[in-house]
């Protein structure tokens, strides 16, 4: 542990109000916290709890037109940042106190090179000349383990991946060795493996620079891994503050307790098997005759270009994916961004052009969709990742949920109305909200509306694409419960698409791990989580932060780790992995080199 | 990049072909007999018939168009019916004046528009901002002939600061360029303002401020280049507005450009000139857009030419 | 109705709305508001040498070169401007919306052809095109409206097209498709309602453009036919007198500017209110 | 008097061509006259014919053979001496169909015209070069106007070698025998004429240089003239400025007024109902308040009552025509069966002040119950409509009205009132065709003998008044000419309102020292 020292940043009783149509509304009430040199304070809490706005206020970056600090102090080096004139603030920001933002994709100036953006900090704060600034910038990029650092200086942000950009952001914030670094959800937008790299990097650098780190996050796993102390906030109120171990071990406040209870924990299900949600008698039949059989599903997108606007490149989004889904079963597709999960789901609903063979109840869906599209759609439905975006904002939710019935001409107007009310109750919403519009609901409620919509047609299969990823843990837990409940009652089968291993462990019967458009490992939940065979599966699991401060992993993944691109030339011949039988229903790819050799043979 | 330019040029050529075809049809339908116009009022029927035959006006439509196209590909725009000169020459002689006027107008609108837009954005929601925005609204609402006549009346007739018309010196170009540029100034300043305000809310501006960059540097180094993109695209579109604008402005100020040529030709239904000017204008519009698209990646490296 | 309330909260928009309302009142009640017939050439409307009269108690804004009352002509001219503005722009928006939706939502080869045609039209110098069209059809009030519509739909088509493209890529449209909704249903229930703001904004802003184009055509003498007064042709008839009788040019000129300004202000406010994503683009 | 100096003349429109065989608008008409010469010319400021490149001429008794003796020692701008073969070449060229000369028809009386103009023969068989100084022209029929024709621009002499050199572009590189030679032409900007030192008239021209600036709005030209920047506003005084200028003491002495051979008229299409009814045409004639129209154009014209302008030989001063009388007009209409009036169309060119005049006419007509809708179109479209038998019931001729090519009444008949013009594409927009009068017209023009001149004019006088009784036209006014020029310009009587040189007779203008 670090030595206890004088707090470098001391935030006292800060209250913030935002301007709304109805007047000022307080969103932060008397926040008080501090951070010491070399220490990590995690501020945890769910969406909208005031985490970001407080740190922005500390930096003097609140949008003046919409938010004001009504009370409080933020003392840095004996000076109150909240009272500081703008000129002086300019000097302090970036120099004594720095900040990293949530969105690496948009936080760098797209029209300036990385080098320009780094150097200007040194020029301005340290009066360095161009050459010195350049040298220092390079040094810093190397310090954040940026590959090919020298080349990066000349590149523009869009030429870098999200992880690389976040490295640049970190490098930029540390250039002047600030006393305090505020990192606002710096890893939320990143894949787990990249997130793991980022977290260990920050830890290492913090140690090196002896910086006071304020890490804002909603992920208790990250908190457990990173924090020395934790501040839990909720709806603009401070809930609880304390040492990380005591917070996790003995939370005193009910809110904190809920938060920790709802948290899906990787490994929590180990040693248990999940039964199919169908009557015992049908299980054997279900195993024998899967509901959905996918064989060699391939989806490719052409990229148009050149003089003649012909395809010049091809995205190999999904390559020869095969799997079965049984009645009452949840099959999860996991993998990192861009590996083809959503595309697979969309192909199942015939929303993209695909090749291969998909059998639904023994019939090819190609025929099904061609002959009677509506009938096919009644069997398989989808819940989309972003509930808000997938609901027409100009229709009342009652109409939205009733719409599938109208499209499929089911029942009379009155019957439909009753059914919609039923569905509402079924997903835990009140039927008297039927006339409201999507924007009047919370994220979790919206997801329930989407579920109700999918249920309206009584499908056998629901493809749930990242259905809970955007939700806070407490809400997420409720929605997951709902899905499980529905499965048990109605014998639904789910294709559950997610990148969150902990959630996947909680809900699935079987799991398929996708990498670069192919399934590299597929098997029962127990097999995948307790006995992973493929390196990639192992890496995925290892990267997941564990919400237990007692288990502090030492990570080794520091550089590299970027996911290769699925875009190839037209004549590219994909190398298919060979799935090797491991145990009863557990298959995993032999290593890539091995299969490449197999191909050439 | 090369593939892109080539494709765009091919597209441009096709568009020009289409423009020539449509214009040719339209002019073919205009109820006026070119042969009689050339022949004049004292001509005998014989003379008219001769002329008609020599110009191929008695050929079927498609053959006339084909002839025109073949000549066009050899750089021959035909001869003006009434001006009796090569249309190519007439246009070539007047094009520099129009280009000069357009360049002056572009400079006017860019300088004024960007300046006003930036000031308004920085002074957002102040009376100054409001005043400037009203001004730019008036700019986009004022027909060019009214602006032209007004400027002429105030600055040339009453104050006598500038010549009333004509061509030659810097003083001559001020009023026409202003007139042609007023509309664009209005657009640019409004666009610049909203674009800059929009950019100022972007994450990377917050980053720049978090780095401690001074306000002016944030505005001019970080925000402005990002805010400039819509302006670039607009300059391309502007060429189209100019091509309409010069018809009015050149005739108000007696500016010897192709707008004036077009207007004279339209009044007298001098078809080869109308064809020629339309094609040249279309060419300018297409190239203007192409250039704007080619410049865009320099302003914003994210843009890939596809 | 909250839209109206929001407009009323913006002083500039209120100003614009007032101008528009005033013009509408002029246009609707012209016969009761004007002291004279708009095309009455009065003997005492000219000096003995035939010069127009400056503003006076009898002729509030003076007379024109034929001894007609300028005020009466201006008021009736409001009718012309509004008719053209509404009819021509309405037609332009309709055509543009049709083309844009067909090309952007239904795609297919018809859509491709339509969009290529739109590109082609973009390359036309609009004014030249309008003048040539006017010459072919022999101008009259309705022909001028038609000509303007034929020129102005292009912009609308581009905007609607890109909106249709981006809308049809929105998640909720995919969601509708996954429910089995047909194209027409999606178009009618999900795409069109989203285009209402854009169409509304264009219907307003477009009127400003249309009023200006009509004025320009009339100014060039290929617009609305005399003796029907239009603010553009009033200037056309009198423009050479701008040094000796400036009111004959600058009063109708100011009327055009004001009306276009009014529609622009209202349209701009509508755009801000209804569709913030459109802000500043034209 | 003084010699030398430069003047500036401004025009709105571009100069189209300076080829005498082709140029046929009032703008280049007088410019060509200063660059080229014909065998005949008019005495400056008058309509009196005098020999020019011809030193003298003789006419055979039957009026069919004209023999011209040419002036010796005349030089072209290119330095070559002018000879008789140039005259033949010029006339052959103008009737050659490939030249596309709008004036070819004027030479219809020359023997061999038909063969030459259809391209069947290489040249006019009626034109013979007797020797270098003598040309003989034989006509196929007597033509009283022939000497006028030889004074037309179309008959101005061009050197073959220059035409061959420039081909179709000869009009941009004119070479003649005139007082000035063209030394610079910057398209869209200016044309410069410089004194031709070897000019065959002693002491002419007086100026060193004339710059014709184009693209100048008339109103701008006037303001510049006021400031002394230019010398002649080629397009005259714009209507809008007329009153201001004429009442402005600054311009005292700068404005010269004169008549011109012009009539502004409304054509009534005699082939279209209801204008096929004489009573209707008469009623319309009586309905139009010409005085008011003249007032609208600020008195820049005099009301007319017959086709011929007052300056034209054959004008009948005693003819009364139709008086302005709306009540009588109404009665006539009622008699014709149109007590409630009718609806019709009035075509007009769309340049100021024509639409205004049309509106005045429209109001007059509405007073007797005729509702005339105005079609204000580009000039070319109006002309096209007039050339169709059933298109334009009424056309106001302003802007396109007939201005005589030469001061002879016959020039006011054929194309615009004769049967020859009443064909598709013709200029007889009233489609009035009276074969009997046609015959009389031909007979009149055959009276070529100088002794018959007076009788011939009498006959023409009758022809025109008889036509007017049939009312195919409403003659509205005869435009007056007002030339505005800087005060420093001076010259002999009449050259500033010269009937054939518009706006001025450049050869005789000089800069007076006084200013
Ligand atoms: N500029 C602003 N104008 C108005 N309200 C704001 C503004 N910024 C934040 N708020 C409101 O303040 C509250 C706190 O927001 P804040 O961004 O701090 O939440 P957060 O804890 O960071 O949530 P998240 O995890 O979603 O980022 C929210 O209710 C938010 O809607
Ligand atoms: N319509 C499309 N056109 C071209 N490429 C596409 C299209 N849809 C998806 N892709 C590409 O296909 C690949 C797989 O995309 P997909 O959306 O299936 O990934 P994912 O596993 O769902 O990732 P995420 O977790 O980010 O949602 C990606 O590289 C993506 O860019
Ligand atoms: Mg936040
Ligand atoms: Mg996805």
């Amino acid at each position: 542990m670090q030595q206890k020292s004088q707090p470098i940043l001391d935030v006292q009783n800060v209250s913030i109000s935002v301007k709304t149509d109805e007047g000022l509304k307080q969103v932060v009430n008397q926040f008080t916290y501090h951070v010491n040199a070399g220490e990590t304070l995690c501020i945890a809490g769910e969406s909208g709890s005031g985490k970001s706005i407080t740190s922005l206020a500390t930096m003097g970056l609140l949008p003046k037109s919409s938010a004001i600090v009504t009370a409080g102090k933020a003392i840095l080096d004996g000076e109150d940042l909240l009272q500081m004139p703008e000129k002086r603030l300019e000097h302090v920001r970036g120099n004594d106190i720095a900040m990293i933002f949530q969105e690496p994709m948009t936080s760098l100036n797209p029209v300036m090179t990385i080098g320009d953006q780094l150097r200007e900090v040194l020029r301005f704060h340290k009066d360095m000349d161009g050459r010195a600034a350049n040298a220092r910038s390079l040094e810093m990029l190397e310090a954040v383990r940026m590959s090919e650092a020298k080349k990066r200086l000349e590149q523009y942000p869009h030429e870098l991946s999200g992880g690389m950009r976040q490295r640049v952001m970190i490098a930029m914030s540390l250039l002047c060795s600030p006393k305090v670094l505020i990192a606002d959800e710096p890893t939320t937008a990143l894949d787990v493996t990249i997130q793991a790299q980022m977290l260990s990097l920050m830890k290492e650098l913090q140690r090196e620079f002896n910086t006071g780190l304020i890490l804002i996050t909603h992920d208790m796993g990250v908190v457990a891994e990173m924090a020395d102390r934790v501040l839990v906030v909720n709806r603009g109120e401070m809930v609880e503050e304390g040492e990380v171990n005591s917070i996790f071990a003995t939370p005193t406040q009910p809110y904190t307790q809920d938060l920790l209870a709802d948290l899906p924990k990787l490994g929590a299900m180990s040693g248990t098997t999940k039964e199919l949600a169908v009557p015992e008698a049908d299980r054997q039949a279900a195993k024998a005759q899967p509901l959905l059989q996918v064989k060699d599903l391939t989806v490719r997108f052409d990229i148009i270009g050149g003089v003649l606007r012909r395809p010049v490149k091809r995205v190999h989004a999904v390559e020869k994916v095969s799997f079965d889904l049984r009645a009452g079963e949840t099959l999860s597709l996991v993998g990192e961004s861009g590996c083809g999960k959503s595309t697979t789901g969309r192909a199942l609903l015939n929303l993209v052009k695909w090749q291969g063979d998909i059998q639904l109840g023994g019939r090819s869906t190609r025929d099904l969709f061609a002959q009677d599209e509506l009938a096919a759609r009644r069997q398989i439905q989808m819940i989309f990742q972003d509930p808000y975006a997938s609901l027409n904002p100009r229709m009342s939710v009652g109409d939205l949920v009733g719409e599938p019935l109208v499209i499929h001409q089911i029942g009379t107007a009155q019957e439909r109305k009753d059914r919609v009310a039923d569905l509402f109750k079924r997903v835990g919403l009140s039927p008297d909200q039927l006339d409201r519009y999507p924007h009047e609901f919370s994220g979790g409620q919206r997801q329930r509306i989407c579920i109700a919509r999918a249920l309206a047609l009584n499908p056998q299969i629901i493809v749930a694409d990242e259905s809970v990823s955007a939700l806070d843990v407490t809400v997420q837990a409720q929605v997951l419960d709902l899905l499980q409940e529905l499965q048990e009652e109605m014998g639904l089968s789910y294709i559950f698409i997610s990148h969150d291993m902990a959630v996947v462990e909680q809900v699935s019967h079987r799991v398929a791990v996708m990498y670069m458009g192919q399934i590299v490992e597929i098997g029962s939940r127990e097999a995948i989580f307790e006995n992973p065979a493929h390196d990639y599966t192992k890496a995925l699991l290892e990267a997941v932060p564990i919400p237990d401060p007692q288990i502090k992993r030492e990570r080794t993944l520091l550089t590299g780790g970027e996911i290769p691109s699925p875009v190839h030339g037209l004549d590219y011949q994909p190398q298919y992995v060979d799935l090797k039988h491991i145990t009863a229903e557990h298959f995993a790819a032999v290593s890539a080199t091995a299969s490449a050799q197999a191909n050439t043979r | 990049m090369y593939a892109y330019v080539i494709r765009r040029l091919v597209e441009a050529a096709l568009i020009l072909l289409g423009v020539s075809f449509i214009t040719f049809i339209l002019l073919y339908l205009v109820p006026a007999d070119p042969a009689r116009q050339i022949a004049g009022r004292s001509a005998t029927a014989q003379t008219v018939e001769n002329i008609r035959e020599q110009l191929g006006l008695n050929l079927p439509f498609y053959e006339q168009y084909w002839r025109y196209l073949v000549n066009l590909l050899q750089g021959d725009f035909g001869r003006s019916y009434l001006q009796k000169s090569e249309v190519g020459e007439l246009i070539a002689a007047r094009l520099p004046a129009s280009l000069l006027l357009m360049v002056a107008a572009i400079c006017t609108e860019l300088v004024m528009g960007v300046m006003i837009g930036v000031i308004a954005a920085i002074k957002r929601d102040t009376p100054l901002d409001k005043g400037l925005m009203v001004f730019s609204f008036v700019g986009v609402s004022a027909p060019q002939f009214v602006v032209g006549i007004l400027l002429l009346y105030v600055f040339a007739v009453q104050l006598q600061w500038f010549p009333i018309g004509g061509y030659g010196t810097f003083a001559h170009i001020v009023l026409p360029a202003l007139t042609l540029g007023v509309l664009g100034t209005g657009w640019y300043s409004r666009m610049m303002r909203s674009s800059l305000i929009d950019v100022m809310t972007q994450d990377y501006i917050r980053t720049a401020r978090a780095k401690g960059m001074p306000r002016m540097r944030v505005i001019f180094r970080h925000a402005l280049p990002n805010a400039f993109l819509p302006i670039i695209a607009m300059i391309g579109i502007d060429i189209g507005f100019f091509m309409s604008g010069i018809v009015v402005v050149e005739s108000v100020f007696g500016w010897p450009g192709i707008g004036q040529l077009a207007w004279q030709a339209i009044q007298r239904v001098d078809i080869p000139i109308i064809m020629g000017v339309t094609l040249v204008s279309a060419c300018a519009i297409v190239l203007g857009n192409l250039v704007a698209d080619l410049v865009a990646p320099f302003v914003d490296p994210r843009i890939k030419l596809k | 109705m909250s839209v109206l309330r929001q407009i009323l909260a913006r002083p500039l928009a209120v100003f614009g709305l007032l101008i528009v309302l005033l013009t509408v009142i002029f246009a609707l009640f012209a016969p009761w508001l004007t002291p004279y017939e708009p095309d009455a050439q009065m003997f005492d409307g000219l000096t003995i040498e035939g010069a127009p009269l400056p503003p006076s108690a009898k002729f509030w804004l003076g007379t024109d070169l034929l001894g007609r009352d300028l005020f009466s002509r201006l008021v009736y001219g409001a009718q012309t401007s509004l008719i053209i503005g509404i009819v021509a722009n309405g037609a332009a928006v309709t055509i543009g919306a049709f083309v844009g939706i067909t090309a952007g939502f239904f795609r297919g080869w018809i859509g491709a052809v339509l969009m290529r045609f739109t590109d082609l039209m973009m390359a036309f110098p609009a004014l030249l095109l309008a003048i040539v069209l006017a010459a072919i059809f022999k101008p009259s009030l309705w022909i001028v409206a038609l000509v303007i519509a034929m020129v102005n739909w292009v912009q609308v088509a581009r905007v609607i097209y890109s909106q249709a493209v981006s809308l049809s890529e929105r998640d909720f449209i995919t969601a509708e498709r996954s429910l089995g909704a047909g194209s027409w249903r999606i178009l009618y229930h999900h795409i069109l309602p989203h285009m209402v703001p854009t169409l509304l904004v264009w219907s307003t802003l477009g009127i400003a453009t249309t009023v200006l184009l009509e004025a320009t055509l009339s100014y060039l003498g290929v617009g609305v036919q005399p003796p029907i007064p239009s603010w553009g042709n009033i200037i056309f008839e009198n423009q050479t007198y701008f040094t000796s009788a400036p009111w004959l040019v600058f009063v109708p000129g100011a009327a055009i500017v004001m009306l276009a300004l009014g529609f622009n202000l209202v349209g701009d406010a509508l755009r801000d209110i209804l569709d913030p994503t459109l802000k500043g683009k034209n | 008097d003084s010699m030398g100096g430069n003047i500036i003349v401004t025009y709105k429109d571009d100069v189209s061509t300076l080829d005498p065989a082709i140029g046929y608008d009032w703008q280049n008409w007088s410019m060509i006259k200063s660059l080229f010469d014909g065998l005949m010319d008019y005495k400056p400021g008058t309509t009196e014919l005098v020999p020019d490149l011809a030193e003298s001429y003789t006419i055979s008794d039957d009026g069919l053979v004209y023999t011209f003796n040419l002036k010796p020692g005349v030089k072209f701008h290119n330095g070559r001496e002018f000879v008789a073969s140039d005259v033949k070449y010029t006339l052959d060229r103008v009737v050659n169909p490939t030249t596309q000369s709008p004036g070819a028809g004027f030479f219809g009386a020359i023997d061999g015209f038909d063969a030459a103009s259809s391209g069947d023969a290489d040249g006019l068989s009626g034109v013979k070069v007797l020797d270098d100084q003598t040309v003989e022209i034989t006509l196929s029929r007597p033509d009283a106007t022939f000497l006028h024709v030889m004074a037309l621009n179309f008959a101005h002499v061009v050197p073959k070698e220059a035409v061959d050199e420039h081909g179709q572009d000869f009009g941009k590189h004119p070479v003649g025998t005139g007082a000035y030679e063209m030394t610079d032409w910057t398209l869209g900007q200016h044309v410069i004429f410089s004194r031709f030192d070897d000019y065959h008239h002693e002491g002419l021209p007086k100026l060193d240089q004339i710059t014709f600036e184009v693209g100048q709005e008339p109103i701008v030209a006037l303001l510049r003239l006021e400031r002394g920047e230019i010398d002649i506003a080629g397009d005259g005084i714009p209507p809008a400025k007329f009153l201001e200028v004429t009442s402005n003491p600054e311009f005292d002495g700068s404005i010269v007024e004169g008549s011109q051979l012009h009539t502004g008229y409304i054509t009534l299409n005699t082939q279209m109902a209801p204008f096929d009814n004489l009573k209707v045409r008469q009623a319309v004639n009586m309905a139009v308040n010409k005085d008011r129209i003249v007032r609208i154009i600020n008195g820049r014209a005099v009301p007319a009552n017959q086709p011929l302008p007052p300056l034209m030989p054959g004008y009948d001063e005693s003819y009364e025509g139709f008086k302005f009388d709306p009540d009588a007009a109404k009665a006539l209409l009622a008699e014709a069966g149109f007590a409630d009036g009718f609806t019709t169309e009035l075509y007009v060119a769309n340049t100021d002040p024509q639409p205004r005049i049309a509106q005045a006419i429209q109001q007059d007509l509405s007073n007797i119950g005729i509702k005339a809708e105005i079609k204000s179109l580009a000039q070319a479209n109006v002309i096209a409509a007039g050339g169709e038998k059933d298109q334009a019931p009424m056309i106001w001729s302003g802007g396109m009205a007939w201005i005589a090519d030469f001061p002879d009444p016959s020039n006011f008949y054929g194309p615009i009132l004769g049967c020859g013009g009443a064909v598709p594409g013709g200029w007889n927009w009233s489609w009035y065709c009276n074969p009997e009068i046609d015959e009389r017209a031909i007979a009149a023009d055959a009276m070529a003998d100088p002794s018959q001149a007076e009788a011939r004019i009498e006959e023409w006088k009758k022809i025109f008044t008889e036509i007017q009784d049939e009312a195919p036209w409403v003659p509205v006014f005869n435009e007056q000419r007002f030339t505005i020029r800087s005060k420093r310009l001076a010259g002999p009587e009449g050259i500033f309102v010269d009937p054939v040189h518009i706006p001025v007779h450049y050869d005789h203008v000089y800069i007076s020292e006084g200013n």
Side-chain angles (χ1 to χ4, degrees), chain A residues 61 90 93-94 101 103 106-112 116-117 120-121 124-125 156 158 172 306-307 309, chain B residues 3 6-7 11 203-204 206-207 209-215 217 221-222 225-226 299-302 306:
Chain A
L61 291 176
E90 281 169 6
R93 287 200 293 249
F101 300 98
E103 263 303 328
T106 54
S107 291
L108 288 170
N109 192 331
V111 307
M112 287 170 77
D116 279 342
Q117 300 190 51
E120 69 174 356
V121 180
F124 184 73
H125 289 299
Y156 287 95
H158 72 278
M172 198 149 75
V307 178
R309 301 205 132 261
Chain B
I6 290 170
R7 204 188 69 240
E11 269 175 23
D203 288 352
Y204 51 82
R206 195 178 55 186
T207 307
R209 294 183 61 204
K211 288 195 292 189
M213 292 299 111
R215 183 172 156 78
R217 186 172 171 88
R221 182 69 184 91
H222 289 262
N226 279 292
V299 177
D300 187 341
R302 276 172 302 180
K306 276 191 263 186

Side-chain angles (χ1 to χ4, degrees), chain C residues 39-52 65-68 73 134-136 138-140 220-222 225-228 236-245, chain D residues 217 219 223 238-244 292 294-299 347-348 350-352 355-364 372-378 381 385 391:
Chain C
D39 48 4
Q41 303 170 17
M42 285 162 286
F43 188 78
D44 53 359
L46 290 175
T47 65
I48 214 71
E49 298 94 1
L65 302 176
L66 285 168
R68 296 175 294 197
R73 287 185 72 70
I136 294 175
K138 300 197 181 157
S140 72
L220 292 172
V222 292
Q225 292 290 282
I228 298 173
F236 163 67
E237 286 181 348
N238 303 316
Q239 57 165 317
T240 47
Y241 281 66
F242 78 93
T243 51
S244 49
Chain D
E217 287 293 315
I219 194 142
L223 288 156
K241 290 299 246 182
F242 184 75
L243 285 179
E244 196 185 315
R292 208 185 97 82
V294 167
R295 185 162 77 130
I296 284 167
I297 58 167
N298 311 117
Y347 281 65
V348 56
N350 62 359
T351 41
D352 189 66
R356 270 196 287 139
I357 295 172
Q359 290 178 71
I361 297 167
Q362 183 186 41
Q363 163 152 312
D364 288 342
E373 193 188 322
I374 291 179
K375 295 266 171 221
S376 157
L377 310 172
N381 302 17
Q391 276 266 318

Side-chain angles (χ1 to χ4, degrees), chain A residues 18-19 25 27 45-54 63 66-67 102 184-185 218:
Chain A
V18 295
K19 292 172 189 159
K25 184 183 135 210
V27 291
E46 294 183 355
S47 193
S49 52
K51 309 181 294 286
S52 299
I53 205 165
T54 319
S66 59
Q102 174 166 6
D184 187 357
E185 316 228 16
H218 62 262

Side-chain angles (χ1 to χ4, degrees), chain D residues 280-301:
Chain D
V280 173
R281 299 203 297 269
Q282 290 172 334
V284 171
N285 260 285
M286 289 190 250
V288 176
N289 185 347
K290 298 166 188 174
D291 292 321
R292 208 185 97 82
I293 293 175
V294 167
R295 185 162 77 130
I296 284 167
I297 58 167
N298 311 117
R300 284 176 299 130

